[in-house]
Amino acid sequence: MRVLLVNPSIPEFFYNEEFYLPSGLLYLGAVLRDHGDDVHVLDMKTFRPEPGSDFNAFYGQALQETLDAFEPELIGFGCLFSGCFPQVLELARLCKRSRPQVPIMAGGIHVTIHAQAILTHCPEIDYLCLGEAEESVVQLVHALKYHEIPACIDGLAYRIGDQVVVHPKQSYIEDVDQIPFPAYELIDISQYAVDTSQWYNPRNLTFDTSIPIISSRSCPHRCTFCSVHMVNGPRWRGRSATNVVDEIEYVYHTYGQSHFSFMDDNCTLDRKRTLEMCRQIGKRRLRIQFETPNGLSIRTLDEEVLDALVEAGLVRVSLAIESGSEFIRNKIMRKNLAQDKIYEVVRLTKKYPQLYVKAFFIMGLPEESHETLEQTRRMIEEIDIDRVYLQNMIPYPGTPIFEQAQRDHLLLGIDTAQLYRDPGMYMTNWDRFYIKPYQLSIEDLYAFRKRCEPLLNRATRLQRPPIAIQEKVTRRPQGDEVAPRSQE
């Protein structure tokens, strides 16, 4: 079967692009290719419309040209983040007008959370692959090949007449080493090249992009604001150290890439695996640099682990602190992260002059108070690291925080019936709040953010080495960088 996989562009309302290879689609392309299907990947992020042009028309033309040339028998859209769904829907409509008999599927975080509403209100989309989709998409393609009804496929949602059928994802791949590497050959990596002259590059390596690596899936913890387990399952599953480094080595030698981004939700959970990955990177003489955009669990870090990571090539690390208040962090968020451990790990990072350190904080939970906010401000001031991101709490559907806010009428300006198609709540920004805390007014939250601005805008520590330390610049800089990590 000829399968076209489409990755939407980054929405224009983002402050800056996250210009990564579409790993999810490349994984699907790999398993479909291994089952004998003909796969083509169309990544809208690699196109550059002129400023002021009609973006929908521009991307629509690119898609139409691919439809005409490839003549797909199945079209699949990736929708990693909710902000991308409006373009997915627009492009799906174009496909239906152009090829009404060709079935359309979609997958990703957004469609997994909003499956029922999407199939109810969006007739352009026929199938949804929920959560981890390597197995379900192969089963769907098999059913379509032989004109079978795709009933009882785990993690598949579809319509029969006017009835929406949703099979919640129940089964996840246990031996993730058996999943083939992303099908890098389905894209032209040179199209992802960007100006890296201002990237933080303490090893002075030559590279033109950062290759995303997914070394494990899901997270065993249940932070009340996080929806990752709804998509990737309840259990953490890690690839073996050898399997991970094999992929890095393959990309390093085949494509000449030396910069990598570990996109895991909990990369360092398995201490032994982490140390072995670092050992193998050194043993194979891979001169690389890597970063952890989605944040590392501070509980998994100590001096031995940090020594190994930095020796292997870690140059930018993100720490998931979330709150300076132990009450908010542990009782409300359920992070189970001690105050002393935070300060211990931050102190350890400062022994590595080549390590750029970032931290994530979230403000505006229902139980937030003047006292808890002040504790967060004080911690941001005291840890004195290179960059701090203070995000406004976003209540994602299906999380305990969302259910609490909805139950207690704390949601602000959110039409819950329209969340499946409205990207407004998913804009990563600093000037809107989505929850009214019990004890605070919205004016209180704005005032606190203003107090924190001098700390958040602080560029680097004074004792940095004489290296041009800047956040990376992508194709269309649009102001301040958005933290690569999303609460989603």
Side-chain angles (χ1 to χ4, degrees):
M1 178 170 277
R2 293 188 303 278
V3 182
L4 172 63
L5 300 177
V6 182
N7 193 42
S9 66
I10 292 295
E12 288 302 309
F13 56 66
F14 272 53
Y15 288 93
N16 211 341
E17 292 185 354
E18 300 173 21
F19 199 67
Y20 291 112
L21 280 59
S23 296
L25 296 188
L26 297 184
Y27 270 115
L28 295 185
V31 295
L32 289 170
R33 176 204 57 197
D34 287 356
H35 281 79
D37 297 299
D38 184 7
V39 183
H40 182 84
V41 172
L42 176 64
D43 190 349
M44 295 297 184
K45 291 189 302 183
T46 62
F47 292 85
R48 304 186 186 187
E50 293 295 326
S53 63
D54 184 332
F55 292 145
N56 285 336
F58 177 87
Y59 292 119
Q61 180 180 350
L63 177 56
Q64 185 63 60
E65 290 173 357
T66 302
L67 293 175
D68 294 340
F70 185 62
E71 291 286 350
E73 298 167 282
L74 174 65
I75 302 168
F77 288 94
C79 188
L80 182 60
F81 299 114
S82 298
C84 297
F85 186 70
Q87 188 183 85
V88 167
L89 192 56
E90 181 71 24
L91 295 176
R93 287 171 180 159
L94 183 152
C95 291
K96 277 301 181 188
R97 291 193 300 269
S98 177
R99 302 288 193 280
Q101 302 306 315
V102 176
I104 295 176
M105 66 177 180
I109 295 174
H110 181 79
V111 304
T112 299
I113 293 174
H114 297 288
Q116 183 77 36
I118 289 172
L119 287 179
T120 299
H121 300 288
C122 305
E124 303 84 359
I125 298 175
D126 303 299
Y127 301 98
L128 299 178
C129 292
L130 312 181
E132 183 180 84
E134 282 89 355
E135 292 180 340
S136 57
V137 76
V138 168
Q139 294 169 17
L140 172 61
V141 169
H142 181 274
L144 294 174
K145 282 180 187 177
Y146 297 100
H147 308 288
E148 301 171 352
I149 297 175
C152 300
I153 295 179
D154 179 62
L156 185 71
Y158 53 95
R159 278 184 300 271
I160 297 181
D162 294 331
Q163 179 186 3
V164 173
V165 179
V166 178
H167 296 292
K169 187 69 176 173
Q170 301 290 338
S171 176
Y172 295 85
I173 301 170
E174 288 299 316
D175 184 4
V176 287
D177 276 10
Q178 298 305 310
I179 304 172
F181 293 162
Y184 293 106
E185 67 276 9
L186 294 178
I187 59 171
D188 180 354
I189 288 184
S190 68
Q191 292 181 342
Y192 295 82
V194 294
D195 179 7
T196 61
S197 62
Q198 297 302 308
W199 285 32
Y200 182 49
N201 185 13
R203 291 189 169 189
N204 294 315
L205 302 184
T206 300
F207 52 86
D208 55 19
T209 190
S210 187
I211 304 297
I213 298 292
I214 302 174
S215 80
S216 65
R217 298 193 174 188
S218 201
C219 176
H221 307 307
R222 290 295 178 271
C223 296
T224 56
F225 57 81
C226 184
S227 62
V228 67
H229 67 278
M230 298 168 60
V231 179
N232 287 329
R235 294 182 59 251
W236 181 90
R237 293 156 292 133
R239 296 163 58 188
S240 68
T242 297
N243 184 260
V244 174
V245 182
D246 281 350
E247 180 184 353
I248 293 173
E249 185 174 33
Y250 169 75
V251 174
Y252 180 81
H253 289 300
T254 305
Y255 298 102
Q257 299 297 328
S258 59
H259 196 287
F260 297 85
S261 296
F262 281 82
M263 309 303 290
D264 305 40
D265 297 300
N266 203 323
C267 180
T268 51
L269 181 70
D270 185 331
R271 175 190 175 87
K272 181 178 178 181
R273 187 189 80 121
T274 301
L275 294 174
E276 179 61 17
M277 282 194 298
C278 295
R279 188 190 71 81
Q280 289 204 30
I281 289 172
K283 181 181 179 181
R284 303 189 200 191
R285 301 184 183 278
L286 301 178
R287 186 165 167 73
I288 64 172
Q289 293 180 158
F290 59 90
E291 60 182 343
T292 59
N294 288 348
L296 294 183
S297 171
I298 291 174
R299 284 187 290 167
T300 66
L301 303 178
D302 57 29
E303 190 164 15
E304 182 182 10
V305 170
L306 284 170
D307 278 347
L309 288 168
V310 172
E311 177 67 22
L314 178 66
V315 294
R316 294 206 310 172
V317 63
S318 302
L319 303 177
I321 297 174
E322 315 302 13
S323 176
S325 163
E326 283 200 286
F327 168 71
I328 293 290
R329 190 174 61 249
N330 295 331
K331 295 295 184 182
I332 305 305
M333 294 180 173
R334 301 178 194 164
K335 282 193 68 71
N336 191 26
L337 174 60
Q339 201 92 337
D340 289 347
K341 182 64 176 178
I342 295 171
Y343 284 103
E344 172 197 334
V345 168
V346 169
R347 186 167 57 251
L348 285 173
T349 64
K350 295 183 179 181
K351 69 175 278 193
Y352 312 102
Q354 70 273 45
L355 189 60
Y356 188 101
V357 183
K358 304 189 290 185
F360 300 131
F361 289 83
I362 302 172
M363 63 171 286
L365 280 79
E367 292 80 5
E368 205 81 76
S369 66
H370 289 292
E371 180 182 5
T372 62
L373 289 177
E374 177 57 27
Q375 290 167 343
T376 289
R377 192 202 66 79
R378 191 179 310 126
M379 178 177 283
I380 292 173
E381 184 175 41
E382 290 173 351
I383 60 176
D384 185 27
I385 59 175
D386 295 298
R387 190 68 183 269
V388 170
Y389 294 98
L390 178 60
Q391 300 187 16
N392 298 342
M393 179 68 229
I394 301 178
Y396 289 110
T399 63
I401 287 291
F402 179 88
E403 294 170 359
Q404 175 188 359
Q406 186 175 35
R407 181 195 67 220
D408 294 345
H409 306 290
L410 304 177
L411 296 176
L412 297 171
I414 295 173
D415 183 349
T416 57
Q418 299 297 317
L419 286 178
Y420 76 94
R421 67 178 186 88
D422 180 8
M425 193 176 79
Y426 306 99
M427 298 181 186
T428 304
N429 58 41
W430 323 123
D431 59 1
R432 179 181 172 187
F433 293 96
Y434 306 91
I435 291 178
K436 184 207 171 299
Y438 298 115
Q439 303 178 50
L440 298 174
S441 67
I442 299 305
E443 290 71 24
D444 291 331
L445 297 178
Y446 281 117
F448 177 73
R449 284 207 69 92
K450 188 172 182 61
R451 284 189 64 210
C452 290
E453 282 180 4
L455 298 175
L456 304 179
N457 293 332
R458 197 165 50 186
T460 61
R461 297 194 301 269
L462 294 177
Q463 62 268 35
R464 297 299 300 181
I467 302 174
I469 301 168
Q470 297 186 33
E471 295 294 320
K472 62 186 182 185
V473 178
T474 54
R475 289 193 176 188
R476 289 198 304 271
Q478 299 174 19
D480 198 6
E481 181 201 18
V482 171
R485 165 184 178 274
S486 167
Q487 292 173 38
E488 233 176 345

